[in-house]
Amino acid sequence: MESLSNRKKVLEQKPMSFGERIYLPSILTGLAITFKHIFKKRETIFYPEQERPVSENWRGLHSLKRDEQGRERCTACGLCALACPAEAITMTAAERKKGEENLYREEKYAAVYEINMLRCIFCGLCEEACPKEAIYLDGPFLEADYVRKDFIFGKDKLVEAPLKS
């Protein structure tokens, strides 16, 4: 097929020297790079024994907070679920019964609160949307697992331990 401009491009190939034909300069350059990297400090972190330093604004796993009296702060308003772009948060609201005043802060509470960690993108929008400051992304690293259902965190994994007086 001819070019549209009808101009021909003439390519000239100069013959390779003997050193270029045996690839000696390329081999020596590659070995020099290898030896330079051998004596550098290793970037590998052996995770269970060593922990990587994290920045101040690092977002870890979710945790549902308690107030000063040890009651759950979450009132099941659903704003965190609405703000979540990945739709990872689901909850079911329930009414507080008589005698449960020491467990829940408001009349309504989250009977079921689940976060699918496989869908979560750790954006922090749930944290910003919560009017009661009930959810924070301040937990540890997400542990590896082989079963998908183990990545759906319920209240048993999310609610922080009650304060001991």
Side-chain angles (χ1 to χ4, degrees):
M1 182 172 187
E2 284 188 41
S3 67
L4 296 175
S5 64
N6 289 329
R7 287 189 227 152
K8 291 188 178 185
K9 195 174 201 180
V10 179
L11 297 175
E12 290 183 29
Q13 286 186 336
K14 62 178 186 173
M16 292 189 346
S17 67
F18 177 73
E20 290 173 339
R21 277 188 278 157
I22 62 168
Y23 302 110
L24 188 61
S26 300
I27 291 172
L28 293 177
T29 305
L31 285 173
I33 292 171
T34 302
F35 283 122
K36 185 172 74 173
H37 285 287
I38 284 177
F39 300 109
K40 278 189 175 179
K41 183 181 178 241
R42 292 186 180 189
E43 298 294 326
T44 305
I45 296 173
F46 299 99
Y47 171 62
E49 295 84 27
Q50 298 174 340
E51 288 209 13
R52 192 176 94 194
V54 294
S55 68
E56 246 179 69
N57 59 353
W58 176 76
R59 296 186 189 119
L61 286 179
H62 302 72
S63 63
L64 289 173
K65 299 295 180 186
R66 295 181 181 270
D67 64 359
E68 298 78 31
Q69 286 86 30
R71 302 175 297 188
E72 290 182 19
R73 287 186 181 181
C74 181
T75 59
C77 63
L79 290 176
C80 56
L82 286 173
C84 182
E87 297 178 357
I89 301 173
T90 56
M91 70 178 65
T92 305
E95 291 287 327
R96 181 176 71 184
K97 294 176 181 66
K98 196 169 219 166
E100 293 181 336
E101 290 83 15
N102 60 343
L103 296 176
Y104 308 109
R105 196 169 163 177
E106 305 283 336
E107 292 294 321
K108 194 169 87 168
Y109 70 96
V112 177
Y113 192 98
E114 293 181 340
I115 299 177
N116 187 343
M117 292 299 173
L118 296 175
R119 296 191 79 179
C120 180
I121 58 174
F122 297 94
C123 62
L125 291 176
C126 57
E127 187 177 20
E128 292 175 21
C130 185
K132 302 292 182 177
E133 297 179 352
I135 187 164
Y136 282 93
L137 277 73
D138 60 356
F141 287 105
L142 182 62
E143 297 290 327
D145 207 336
Y146 293 105
V147 185
R148 292 181 69 85
K149 69 178 174 80
D150 291 342
F151 288 104
I152 298 174
F153 285 19
K155 285 179 72 171
D156 56 334
K157 292 183 182 178
L158 294 172
V159 177
E160 65 182 5
L163 299 172
K164 294 179 182 175
S165 51

